[in-house]
Short mmCIF file of all heavy atoms in Angstrom, two decimals:
data_model
loop_
_atom_site.label_atom_id
_atom_site.label_comp_id
_atom_site.label_asym_id
_atom_site.label_seq_id
_atom_site.Cartn_x
_atom_site.Cartn_y
_atom_site.Cartn_z
N TYR A 345 97.01 107.11 86.72
CA TYR A 345 97.00 108.47 86.21
C TYR A 345 96.31 109.39 87.21
O TYR A 345 95.22 109.09 87.69
CB TYR A 345 96.30 108.51 84.85
CG TYR A 345 97.08 107.78 83.79
CD1 TYR A 345 97.00 106.40 83.67
CD2 TYR A 345 97.93 108.47 82.93
CE1 TYR A 345 97.75 105.72 82.72
CE2 TYR A 345 98.67 107.80 81.97
CZ TYR A 345 98.57 106.42 81.88
OH TYR A 345 99.32 105.76 80.94
N PHE A 346 96.97 110.50 87.50
CA PHE A 346 96.46 111.47 88.47
C PHE A 346 96.23 112.81 87.80
O PHE A 346 97.12 113.35 87.14
CB PHE A 346 97.47 111.69 89.61
CG PHE A 346 97.67 110.52 90.51
CD1 PHE A 346 98.66 109.59 90.26
CD2 PHE A 346 96.86 110.35 91.63
CE1 PHE A 346 98.86 108.51 91.10
CE2 PHE A 346 97.04 109.27 92.48
CZ PHE A 346 98.05 108.35 92.21
N CYS A 347 95.05 113.36 88.02
CA CYS A 347 94.75 114.72 87.62
C CYS A 347 95.03 115.63 88.82
O CYS A 347 94.82 115.22 89.98
CB CYS A 347 93.28 114.80 87.21
SG CYS A 347 92.74 116.39 86.56
N ALA A 348 95.52 116.85 88.56
CA ALA A 348 95.85 117.75 89.66
C ALA A 348 95.67 119.20 89.22
O ALA A 348 95.71 119.50 88.02
CB ALA A 348 97.29 117.53 90.12
N LEU A 349 95.48 120.07 90.20
CA LEU A 349 95.42 121.50 89.92
C LEU A 349 96.28 122.25 90.92
O LEU A 349 96.53 121.78 92.02
CB LEU A 349 93.98 122.01 89.95
CG LEU A 349 93.17 121.91 91.24
CD1 LEU A 349 93.46 123.07 92.21
CD2 LEU A 349 91.67 121.96 90.92
N SER A 350 96.72 123.43 90.51
CA SER A 350 97.53 124.25 91.41
C SER A 350 96.66 125.29 92.09
O SER A 350 95.64 125.72 91.54
CB SER A 350 98.64 124.96 90.63
OG SER A 350 98.08 125.84 89.69
N ASP A 351 97.07 125.71 93.29
CA ASP A 351 96.33 126.77 93.98
C ASP A 351 96.69 128.11 93.33
O ASP A 351 97.60 128.17 92.51
CB ASP A 351 96.62 126.73 95.48
CG ASP A 351 98.00 127.23 95.82
OD1 ASP A 351 98.87 127.28 94.93
OD2 ASP A 351 98.22 127.58 96.98
N PRO A 352 95.98 129.18 93.68
CA PRO A 352 96.23 130.47 93.01
C PRO A 352 97.68 130.94 93.07
O PRO A 352 98.16 131.59 92.14
CB PRO A 352 95.30 131.43 93.74
CG PRO A 352 94.18 130.57 94.21
CD PRO A 352 94.82 129.25 94.57
N SER A 353 98.38 130.62 94.16
CA SER A 353 99.78 131.04 94.25
C SER A 353 100.69 130.14 93.45
O SER A 353 101.84 130.48 93.20
CB SER A 353 100.23 131.03 95.72
OG SER A 353 100.34 129.69 96.18
N GLY A 354 100.16 128.99 93.05
CA GLY A 354 100.97 128.02 92.32
C GLY A 354 101.88 127.20 93.19
O GLY A 354 102.66 126.39 92.69
N SER A 355 101.78 127.37 94.52
CA SER A 355 102.74 126.70 95.39
C SER A 355 102.27 125.33 95.86
O SER A 355 103.04 124.57 96.41
CB SER A 355 103.04 127.57 96.61
OG SER A 355 101.86 127.75 97.38
N ARG A 356 101.00 125.03 95.65
CA ARG A 356 100.48 123.75 96.13
C ARG A 356 99.63 123.09 95.06
O ARG A 356 98.93 123.76 94.30
CB ARG A 356 99.62 123.97 97.38
CG ARG A 356 100.40 124.51 98.55
CD ARG A 356 99.52 124.98 99.66
NE ARG A 356 98.65 123.92 100.17
CZ ARG A 356 98.19 123.90 101.43
NH1 ARG A 356 98.54 124.83 102.27
NH2 ARG A 356 97.38 122.94 101.82
N LEU A 357 99.71 121.76 95.03
CA LEU A 357 98.89 120.97 94.11
C LEU A 357 97.83 120.19 94.89
O LEU A 357 98.10 119.70 95.98
CB LEU A 357 99.74 119.98 93.32
CG LEU A 357 100.74 120.54 92.31
CD1 LEU A 357 101.50 119.39 91.63
CD2 LEU A 357 100.04 121.39 91.28
N THR A 358 96.65 120.09 94.29
CA THR A 358 95.60 119.22 94.81
C THR A 358 95.41 118.11 93.80
O THR A 358 95.21 118.38 92.60
CB THR A 358 94.29 119.99 95.01
OG1 THR A 358 94.49 121.04 95.97
CG2 THR A 358 93.19 119.07 95.50
N PHE A 359 95.46 116.86 94.27
CA PHE A 359 95.38 115.70 93.38
C PHE A 359 94.03 115.01 93.47
O PHE A 359 93.37 115.00 94.53
CB PHE A 359 96.45 114.67 93.78
CG PHE A 359 97.84 115.06 93.40
CD1 PHE A 359 98.61 115.85 94.24
CD2 PHE A 359 98.39 114.64 92.20
CE1 PHE A 359 99.90 116.22 93.89
CE2 PHE A 359 99.68 115.00 91.85
CZ PHE A 359 100.43 115.79 92.69
N GLY A 360 93.64 114.42 92.36
CA GLY A 360 92.53 113.47 92.39
C GLY A 360 93.02 112.15 92.96
O GLY A 360 94.21 111.99 93.27
N GLU A 361 92.10 111.20 93.08
CA GLU A 361 92.45 109.94 93.73
C GLU A 361 93.24 108.99 92.83
O GLU A 361 93.76 107.99 93.31
CB GLU A 361 91.18 109.24 94.21
CG GLU A 361 90.48 109.98 95.34
CD GLU A 361 89.29 109.20 95.86
OE1 GLU A 361 89.08 108.05 95.44
OE2 GLU A 361 88.56 109.75 96.71
#
Side-chain angles (χ1 to χ4, degrees):
Chain A
Y345 293 81
F346 292 92
C347 184
L349 62 82
S350 63
D351 73 341
S353 70
S355 64
R356 296 168 59 152
L357 292 180
T358 298
F359 286 86
E361 292 185 7

